[in-house]
Amino acid sequence: CYQVANDFTIDIAEGEPWFVPSLGSMKFRGIPFQGVFDGAGHTITWDGPSYSLLGAIENVQVKNVIIDGSTALAGRSGVFAGDTQGTCTFSNCTNKAAVSAKNLDPATGAPYTYGVPVGMPSGFVGQVKNGNLTFDDCVNAGPISIEGTFNSVYPGGFVSEFEFYSPSVTFNRCANTADITNNATNSYGQRFSAGGFIGRNQYANPNMTFNQCYNSGAISASAAAAGFCSSAGWGTWRFTDCYNIG
């Protein structure tokens, strides 16, 4: 179990190896973070570009954490985690950090020298691969604003997008209260969407459950925008006592 003992700040200047603070690997090609991360009610303030706090995660409990500050994310990057699989739970966690997306290679921290990047920015998780993911009593209060050129980028308050599998994702008593704006395009002029909880689902077949959840943030995008998910696609989606006033 990792337990935070005090409030602290991660201050990363441009050009520094900002990918180092992730506790797990940046993708599942390495070793994902596993186990329990208990913030004990403390606040982690992030100032500068980053990948995510925990990196790729698998079979994880994250609880009682507040993240504040501002960060520019790259790659498959939520503020808390990048890729997820296995059984992962977030309980009593809040993101207050303002989020943007950065044209950086997450493997090196240097600007891309080839192509344009794929961005998966969110207040919590970049990409859900497979398994069971649960959010209990969590809030995204950090505004997300995306500008520039990306191969694709779909910001969401909690999750950017799903991969090609059939994950089960449950939200209990969760809220997005932050504004989310996506003005990015790609080199062909394609425009992208945004969602208060989930950026998009295009190819996966998820089992989704929302209980007593709401969005009050203003969600805007050059393509589709929605209070919960801009593109539900496939899968089963259940909503109980939920509302959108964004």
Side-chain angles (χ1 to χ4, degrees), residues 125-209:
V125 170
Q127 184 181 62
V128 178
K129 284 185 167 292
N130 210 347
N132 300 302
L133 176 61
T134 301
F135 295 91
D136 293 325
D137 304 296
C138 292
V139 176
N140 178 59
I144 303 174
S145 180
I146 310 300
E147 306 282 346
T149 303
F150 292 81
N151 185 51
S152 68
V153 58
Y154 295 91
F158 286 84
V159 175
S160 175
E161 62 178 58
F162 303 111
E163 209 174 37
F164 301 99
Y165 304 104
S166 302
S168 292
V169 183
T170 300
F171 293 89
N172 295 314
R173 302 171 304 279
C174 294
N176 176 66
T177 62
D179 294 348
I180 300 175
T181 303
N182 188 5
N183 291 322
T185 60
N186 65 15
S187 57
Y188 301 101
Q190 179 183 356
R191 301 176 185 277
F192 305 109
S193 56
F197 277 68
I198 298 163
R200 73 160 178 174
N201 170 47
Q202 185 174 12
Y203 302 114
N205 187 36
N207 181 15
M208 303 295 303
T209 302

Side-chain angles (χ1 to χ4, degrees), residues 14-211:
E14 288 284 349
E16 291 184 358
W18 50 270
F19 54 91
V20 173
S22 291
L23 297 179
S25 67
M26 289 173 289
K27 293 183 180 180
F28 277 105
R29 290 176 295 188
I31 299 174
F33 178 81
Q34 296 180 326
V36 178
F37 187 91
D38 185 356
H42 292 293
T43 297
I44 300 170
T45 301
W46 211 310
D47 185 10
S50 64
Y51 176 69
S52 66
L53 177 65
L54 301 177
I57 62 173
E58 182 178 22
N59 299 327
V60 164
Q61 296 179 47
V62 184
K63 58 185 179 180
N64 308 320
V65 186
I66 301 169
I67 297 184
D68 208 339
S70 62
T71 183
L73 298 171
R76 299 175 181 177
S77 307
V79 172
F80 281 84
D83 297 341
T84 76
Q85 66 180 17
T87 299
C88 299
T89 301
F90 290 84
S91 301
N92 193 31
C93 293
T94 299
N95 173 56
K96 297 180 180 179
V99 172
S100 59
K102 195 75 171 176
N103 184 1
L104 295 177
D105 185 340
T108 64
Y112 271 88
T113 57
Y114 55 92
V116 292
V118 173
M120 296 184 186
S122 81
F124 280 79
V125 170
Q127 184 181 62
V128 178
K129 284 185 167 292
N130 210 347
N132 300 302
L133 176 61
T134 301
F135 295 91
D136 293 325
D137 304 296
C138 292
V139 176
N140 178 59
I144 303 174
S145 180
I146 310 300
E147 306 282 346
T149 303
F150 292 81
N151 185 51
S152 68
V153 58
Y154 295 91
F158 286 84
V159 175
S160 175
E161 62 178 58
F162 303 111
E163 209 174 37
F164 301 99
Y165 304 104
S166 302
S168 292
V169 183
T170 300
F171 293 89
N172 295 314
R173 302 171 304 279
C174 294
N176 176 66
T177 62
D179 294 348
I180 300 175
T181 303
N182 188 5
N183 291 322
T185 60
N186 65 15
S187 57
Y188 301 101
Q190 179 183 356
R191 301 176 185 277
F192 305 109
S193 56
F197 277 68
I198 298 163
R200 73 160 178 174
N201 170 47
Q202 185 174 12
Y203 302 114
N205 187 36
N207 181 15
M208 303 295 303
T209 302
F210 297 82
N211 296 312

Side-chain angles (χ1 to χ4, degrees), residues 171 197-198 208-213 228 237-240 242:
F171 293 89
F197 277 68
I198 298 163
M208 303 295 303
T209 302
F210 297 82
N211 296 312
Q212 299 178 33
C213 296
F228 282 85
W237 298 70
R238 302 178 182 88
F239 294 84
T240 303
C242 298

